[in-house]
Amino acid sequence: MDTLKPAEPNERVHIVCAEPSVANHFLAELRDVDVQRDSLRFRRNLQRLGEIIAYRISSQLSYTDKTVRTPLGESRSKHLHDFPVLATVLRAGLPFHQGFLNYFDQSPSAFAAAYRIEGTAQVQVQLDYLTAPSLDERVLILADPMLASGKSLVQTYRAMLRFGTPRQVHIAAVIASPEGVEYVTREVPEATLWVAAVDEGLNAQAYIVPGLGDAGDLSYGSKL
């Protein structure tokens, strides 16, 4: 098995859409108020970005050399040493999570139900439900489309540690604020952060600007 060294500080934040690629196209459609009317397409674009980020994270994982038989001979190849645990925050995280699951198709999943308490001066997070397999010595990928203040992701991650201590942690988001990036990298120094884009910042209600709106509502319909 290959040995993976811990990421250096300047390698801890990866911005996927910093360079031109088809990921930029999917992100632009997610933001577009006209395209957003099609919830199926919105969910599919979240999946696609999950797949792209999953592929990027895969370069940081450990692999084992293995020989496989083909119809005409043998081939030496790299096989994933163990599949990561995939975790997400309900409900907005489900399509994004599916993109990771499409690539890491043998991965177990963990789920948390966390939400912001609205109408308060400071962002408060309520964590109502949490389930996970053992995380001891596993690779953990925690995915949530929007990294605003970062408090829900950090609180979810800390709650998941009751299931064990991962050997490697990756946190993934589609759109992040600079404040959220700073908070997560400070509060979870062991994690590597992967985002499609980092936006201008947060407004007075702690929503990302320009962002894309409410990913949960756009995926599954407005809530009361």
Side-chain angles (χ1 to χ4, degrees), residues 27 31 146 174-179 197-202 208-212:
L27 178 60
R31 295 186 191 269
M146 308 300 286
V174 174
I175 298 176
S177 71
E179 298 94 327
V198 179
D199 276 8
E200 297 169 10
L202 299 177
I208 302 173
V209 178
L212 55 75

Side-chain angles (χ1 to χ4, degrees), residues 125-160:
V125 178
Q126 181 70 38
L127 185 64
D128 281 347
Y129 173 82
L130 181 63
T131 183
S134 172
L135 300 180
D136 269 330
E137 291 302 311
R138 298 295 300 269
V139 176
L140 173 66
I141 300 176
L142 175 55
D144 195 15
M146 308 300 286
L147 173 55
S149 70
K151 291 188 176 181
S152 61
L153 270 177
V154 169
Q155 184 170 327
T156 298
Y157 170 69
R158 288 174 176 166
M160 284 185 173

Side-chain angles (χ1 to χ4, degrees), residues 21-98:
S21 75
V22 71
N24 291 268
H25 180 88
F26 299 147
L27 178 60
E29 287 197 345
L30 283 173
R31 295 186 191 269
D32 191 318
V33 293
D34 294 322
V35 181
Q36 285 179 352
R37 296 190 182 98
D38 185 345
S39 59
L40 176 61
R41 190 169 175 183
F42 186 87
R43 293 193 302 271
R44 185 68 186 100
N45 281 327
L46 284 178
Q47 279 191 42
R48 286 166 170 159
L49 286 169
E51 291 168 351
I52 289 169
I53 296 174
Y55 177 78
R56 292 285 301 272
I57 292 175
S58 73
S59 68
Q60 305 290 305
L61 304 182
S62 298
Y63 294 82
T64 303
D65 290 328
K66 185 176 180 180
T67 298
V68 297
R69 283 196 311 117
T70 79
L72 300 177
E74 292 185 342
S75 175
R76 190 80 168 166
S77 59
K78 296 283 188 182
H79 281 232
L80 195 59
H81 177 69
D82 59 352
F83 278 76
V85 176
L86 305 178
T88 196
V89 181
L90 303 173
R91 65 180 170 152
L94 287 174
F96 193 41
H97 173 85
Q98 185 61 50

Side-chain angles (χ1 to χ4, degrees), residues 116-125 151 204-206:
R116 296 190 348 166
I117 301 173
E118 305 291 348
T120 58
Q122 298 294 323
V123 175
Q124 299 180 42
V125 178
K151 291 188 176 181
Q205 290 75 42

